[in-house]
Amino acid sequence: MKKLLILAITLCSSLFTVDAADKKDLVDYVNPLVGSQSKISLSTGNTYPAIAMPWGMNFWMPQTGKMGDGWAYTYDADKIRGFKQTHQPSPWINDYGQFAIMPVVGAPEFDQDKRASWFSHKSEVVKPYYYKAYLADHDVITELTPTDRAALFRFTFPENDHSLDNGSYIKVIPEENKIIGYSTKNSGGVPENFKNYFIIEFDKPFTYEATFADNTLKEGSKEQTSSHVGAVIGFKTKKGEIVQAKVASSFISFDKAAVNMKELGNDNFDTLVSKGKQAWNDVLGKIEVEGGTLDQYRTFYSCMYRSLLFPRKFYEIDAAGNVVHYSPYNGEVLPGYMFTDTGFWDTFRALFPFLNLMYPSMNKEMQEGLINTYKESGFFPEWASPGHRGCMVGNNSASILVDAYMKGVKVDDLETMYKGLIHGTENVHPTVSSTGRLGHEYYNKLGYVPYDVKIHENAARTLEY
């Protein structure tokens, strides 16, 4: 792949300068907390610390807000409620398939307010590939490191008769030190059969099991199905004892989640951290910056990290090594690539042209995923999370596809791409009016969408079309 050299020129001679960004560990310039001091009334970025691989299927995050709150991590918060697997692209679009793990000590507690623990940024370590926090109320250190579709947690507990973990149908399998379950939580854009299947495997036998359903605890119970369920399992721990948990998930099945668990291999925690660091250094290393200040390097690579998170992989690799995906458009499991969690109204001007230039092989996979979206739903997406979402206006998928084609990033099935492009100019999605072209009959005849035909944002639509 190509490398690009950017010169960061400073006009103020009093600024501290360094010769060049360290090419070996560019990821150390990244601060995933940038933009997280936000709230619904005032945004400084509306971001959260995404602990993830580049374009990874699953992200992990410390959760300071309540489940379902789009501002799931805010820098001003002083308590962590859990460690959440998230797929949220923005607080406005919100999350889907999410579930959380939370280490506690003492009595079993499922209520997310009561189980929350005070934490300090002074004891927080936040890297794209690694997270660590000290939960003061429980005297527990939590660490996590991800792969594309799995993660490894490392908990350091105090001495306690009942050290516990909460997960979010759920089933406890004590003879295998395992919890399995699925989350159907979503904010729209999913078929009726949508599920995020997860498996959590611990390296220590359970001394306590219980499940919750709608805030009712059942000790000894091993299985629950309800709108809001969870499990509590306990260990007897010595002071400083480490308990590890392997976590993997799949949008296809429990069996596929078990295949995804193999991403962790036999690596120990520190090896996985090292591999994650290298993965980020590899993608960030496509651009080398010279001539700037330390703060400029931090800003540049923190922004670049954000640019390499979305759109996320929504495909998986089966046991035979084939690329497959659960379709968020028709609910079937089909061959080929799929990506999601991106709104083209926000990204067609800069992000996708950037990916075409710097990561053409990855962007080709994304373009193939767009072709599959058209095949499975009849339209290219405009805002996908994970399926079609009614947000923003315009038909910017056309510029995404054509820009890639003009820059040499060409899908294999050009005929289908062209048919899909034309179809999008002459139709609107039957249930998601932001997809296709609402008002196409006026635009194609008049060259604009009139103001008096009961179509909102007609000037914006005209400009976008």
Side-chain angles (χ1 to χ4, degrees):
M1 292 183 181
K2 301 174 184 176
K3 282 196 174 184
L4 184 66
L5 179 66
I6 292 182
L7 298 179
I9 300 173
T10 177
L11 300 178
C12 180
S13 61
S14 63
L15 291 175
F16 169 72
T17 61
V18 294
D19 291 335
D22 184 343
K23 290 187 289 186
K24 295 180 72 174
D25 289 320
L26 294 175
V27 71
D28 288 342
Y29 291 108
V30 175
N31 181 0
L33 296 176
V34 170
S36 65
Q37 196 170 8
S38 298
K39 52 189 175 182
I40 192 169
S41 60
L42 179 64
S43 168
T44 65
N46 284 334
T47 64
Y48 57 85
I51 316 304
M53 289 294 94
W55 307 291
M57 188 176 87
N58 303 320
F59 299 173
W60 288 89
M61 63 174 296
Q63 180 185 350
T64 63
K66 291 185 177 182
M67 190 69 81
D69 184 350
W71 284 262
Y73 178 99
T74 54
Y75 189 82
D76 290 337
D78 54 18
K79 286 193 174 183
I80 288 177
R81 301 169 186 267
F83 298 90
K84 183 172 75 164
Q85 186 194 95
T86 180
H87 308 94
Q88 178 174 298
S90 82
W92 315 109
I93 294 294
N94 217 301
D95 213 342
Y96 61 88
Q98 65 267 39
F99 63 93
I101 299 171
M102 181 63 178
V104 301
V105 295
E109 185 55 68
F110 190 62
D111 183 277
Q112 57 183 311
D113 290 327
K114 295 178 181 178
R115 77 184 186 205
S117 172
W118 182 90
F119 81 108
S120 169
H121 295 299
K122 293 179 180 179
S123 63
E124 188 182 37
V125 179
V126 191
K127 303 287 185 182
Y129 54 89
Y130 171 76
Y131 182 85
K132 177 181 179 181
Y134 174 64
L135 304 178
D137 288 277
H138 306 303
D139 192 22
V140 175
I141 296 172
T142 297
E143 300 169 274
L144 72 93
T145 187
T147 64
D148 277 343
R149 302 169 185 86
L152 182 60
F153 280 78
R154 185 164 68 182
F155 305 106
T156 304
F157 285 106
E159 184 171 355
N160 202 274
D161 288 336
H162 287 300
S163 298
L164 305 141
D165 277 85
N166 297 334
S168 166
Y169 172 66
I170 202 154
K171 182 177 182 180
V172 180
I173 309 174
E175 61 273 17
E176 299 180 30
N177 303 336
K178 183 186 293 184
I179 298 173
I180 66 172
Y182 57 72
S183 170
T184 59
K185 290 180 179 291
N186 67 86
S187 305
V190 299
E192 290 185 1
N193 66 345
F194 168 78
K195 293 182 176 71
N196 183 22
Y197 300 87
F198 61 85
I199 300 173
I200 308 173
E201 294 180 359
F202 296 87
D203 64 354
K204 186 175 176 65
F206 303 161
T207 58
Y208 177 89
E209 301 104 32
T211 58
F212 282 89
D214 301 321
N215 294 324
T216 300
L217 173 70
K218 291 186 178 181
E219 291 189 339
S221 173
K222 294 178 174 60
E223 192 169 11
Q224 291 282 4
T225 302
S226 186
S227 59
H228 184 203
V229 300
V232 178
I233 51 93
F235 315 94
K236 186 173 182 178
T237 57
K238 299 177 182 178
K239 182 174 178 59
E241 183 170 352
I242 292 174
V243 176
Q244 295 194 135
K246 294 181 177 180
V247 187
S249 64
S250 167
F251 294 106
I252 297 174
S253 66
F254 285 121
D255 288 342
K256 191 66 195 63
V259 173
N260 292 342
M261 186 79 81
K262 295 179 180 179
E263 289 184 354
L264 298 172
N266 296 317
D267 292 333
N268 63 30
F269 188 91
D270 294 331
T271 299
L272 288 169
V273 170
S274 179
K275 286 185 174 181
K277 182 175 186 177
Q278 186 59 52
W280 274 104
N281 278 328
D282 288 345
V283 295
L284 294 172
K286 299 302 176 186
I287 298 180
E288 298 171 11
V289 179
E290 293 182 353
T293 67
L294 180 59
D295 281 346
Q296 286 174 326
Y297 292 151
R298 287 170 173 165
T299 299
F300 181 87
Y301 285 107
S302 294
C303 291
M304 190 173 174
Y305 145 80
R306 290 283 166 196
S307 300
L308 303 179
L309 290 171
F310 300 104
R312 77 168 73 249
K313 297 171 184 174
F314 203 74
Y315 67 86
E316 303 175 45
I317 311 297
D318 67 17
N322 301 309
V323 175
V324 295
H325 66 273
Y326 166 81
S327 173
Y329 301 99
N330 62 22
E332 299 177 17
V333 178
L334 297 165
Y337 293 106
M338 181 62 62
F339 288 77
T340 191
D341 291 325
T342 186
F344 294 154
W345 184 89
D346 302 270
T347 58
F348 81 93
R349 295 175 180 86
L351 176 62
F352 280 91
F354 170 71
L355 295 176
N356 284 327
L357 291 171
M358 300 310 303
Y359 306 94
S361 59
M362 177 57 69
N363 201 40
K364 184 177 187 296
E365 294 180 6
M366 296 175 184
Q367 304 299 313
E368 294 290 353
L370 293 177
I371 298 298
N372 287 330
T373 297
Y374 170 63
K375 290 177 179 178
E376 294 161 25
S377 72
F379 288 86
F380 292 120
E382 299 300 334
W383 231 119
S385 182
H388 292 305
R389 299 289 294 275
C391 187
M392 313 315 294
V393 302
N395 183 207
N396 297 307
S397 56
S399 60
I400 298 290
L401 288 151
V402 175
D403 183 58
Y405 175 86
M406 296 299 290
K407 291 185 171 120
V409 182
K410 300 179 181 180
V411 297
D412 296 333
D413 190 351
L414 288 171
E415 183 178 358
T416 296
M417 183 188 86
Y418 184 72
K419 288 180 179 178
L421 289 171
I422 298 303
H423 180 78
T425 68
E426 298 173 343
N427 294 274
V428 62
H429 193 284
T431 59
V432 185
S433 64
S434 63
T435 301
R437 291 189 177 185
L438 182 62
H440 59 85
E441 63 274 27
Y442 300 105
Y443 181 82
N444 291 342
K445 181 179 179 180
L446 303 172
Y448 61 93
V449 180
Y451 80 96
D452 56 354
V453 292
K454 298 183 179 180
I455 294 177
H456 294 297
E457 300 158 316
N458 59 297
R461 293 181 191 277
T462 296
L463 291 170
E464 297 285 348
Y465 298 164

